[in-house]
Amino acid sequence: MKRITLSNPLKGAILVTFLILSSNLHAQSNADLQKHYEAYYMEMRLQGDVNGVISALTHLNVLAPSQERRDTLAYIYANNNQHLQALNTIGIEKNESDSDLAVQVKAISLKALSQPKRALEQFEVLYSRNPNAYLAYELADLKIQTGDNQGASENIEYGITNSQDDMKYAFYERQQPYEVPLKAAFIHLKGLVQYHMNKDDIAGAVATIDEAIKIAPNFNLASLSKQALESRKDSPEDSENQN
């Protein structure tokens, strides 16, 4: 039997046709997969299945990368206390072009992972975009941790002035979380700053913390701070310093 061979031009035409068909099939396949995971994402949201939502968004980001979708995925990770995964999704760098959602995720995740300096950078960006008492509290708390007591004082005074009666702040140091008025939370921080700025005036710091406890008798963290300060006042080391 005589073997039929194709001329080079015909080989080229067939190859081009094959590549076009393959490309069309791949595009169609991707489009179908995207529709599938979009439907899957909606179903997982309806069922409240966080892991399913994460899986769907991850697949969608592979099929059709989107910064908005990536920010959403990072937010879901952070909201599920998977802060390392959240930061691996969107990074930790300070970026003025980030969406508010991305900056928020970076801020809360870095704070949760005990990175106060990096978290402070992100909260400063949020505060510059939308100053409010809640962000002022986060800034004051982080500035105390990083030793910027003067900066913390400025945020505290802003927060006390702008806290409304219906504003609450949640604390989680006990097994059962609880809320206190935001103003009481600021006054507690004010007492801590007073101590850090003048460690000889423990009584003054305790008196300020007592104001916070008076507003919120259930303020466990303030009570713990008061006990810690009073124990320092009564310690032999402090007695020697006073002499």
Side-chain angles (χ1 to χ4, degrees), residues 172-196:
Y172 300 91
E173 83 279 355
R174 295 192 313 195
Q175 187 173 1
Q176 183 67 36
Y178 63 96
E179 290 184 335
V180 303
L182 183 58
K183 185 175 182 179
F186 274 112
I187 294 173
H188 169 241
L189 291 186
K190 183 176 181 178
L192 297 181
V193 169
Q194 282 180 260
Y195 170 72
H196 288 303

Side-chain angles (χ1 to χ4, degrees), residues 219-236:
F219 199 166
N220 181 67
L221 184 60
S223 296
L224 293 175
S225 296
K226 177 181 176 180
Q227 292 170 21
L229 289 177
E230 289 177 334
S231 68
R232 286 177 179 271
K233 183 178 180 181
D234 297 334
S235 70

Side-chain angles (χ1 to χ4, degrees), residues 39-56 76 79-80 82:
Y40 179 68
Y41 168 71
M42 295 303 298
E43 185 62 29
M44 291 299 97
R45 284 190 60 186
L46 288 173
Q47 294 180 18
D49 187 331
V50 176
N51 290 330
V53 169
I54 289 172
S55 175
I76 293 171
N79 205 43
N80 201 41
Q82 294 176 270

Side-chain angles (χ1 to χ4, degrees), residues 135-234:
L135 289 175
Y137 181 87
E138 300 296 345
L139 289 174
D141 185 29
L142 289 167
K143 286 177 181 179
I144 291 172
Q145 294 181 44
T146 56
D148 182 8
N149 293 302
Q150 185 58 47
S153 293
E154 295 172 5
N155 293 127
I156 288 167
E157 292 308 315
Y158 172 91
I160 291 174
T161 301
N162 291 278
S163 293
Q164 304 298 320
D165 292 340
D166 61 343
M167 290 181 174
K168 307 289 184 182
Y169 194 87
F171 291 89
Y172 300 91
E173 83 279 355
R174 295 192 313 195
Q175 187 173 1
Q176 183 67 36
Y178 63 96
E179 290 184 335
V180 303
L182 183 58
K183 185 175 182 179
F186 274 112
I187 294 173
H188 169 241
L189 291 186
K190 183 176 181 178
L192 297 181
V193 169
Q194 282 180 260
Y195 170 72
H196 288 303
M197 295 183 78
N198 182 6
K199 294 186 177 181
D200 291 329
D201 186 20
I202 293 178
V206 168
T208 299
I209 292 174
D210 275 336
E211 292 179 29
I213 296 173
K214 184 176 180 181
I215 295 172
N218 69 319
F219 199 166
N220 181 67
L221 184 60
S223 296
L224 293 175
S225 296
K226 177 181 176 180
Q227 292 170 21
L229 289 177
E230 289 177 334
S231 68
R232 286 177 179 271
K233 183 178 180 181
D234 297 334

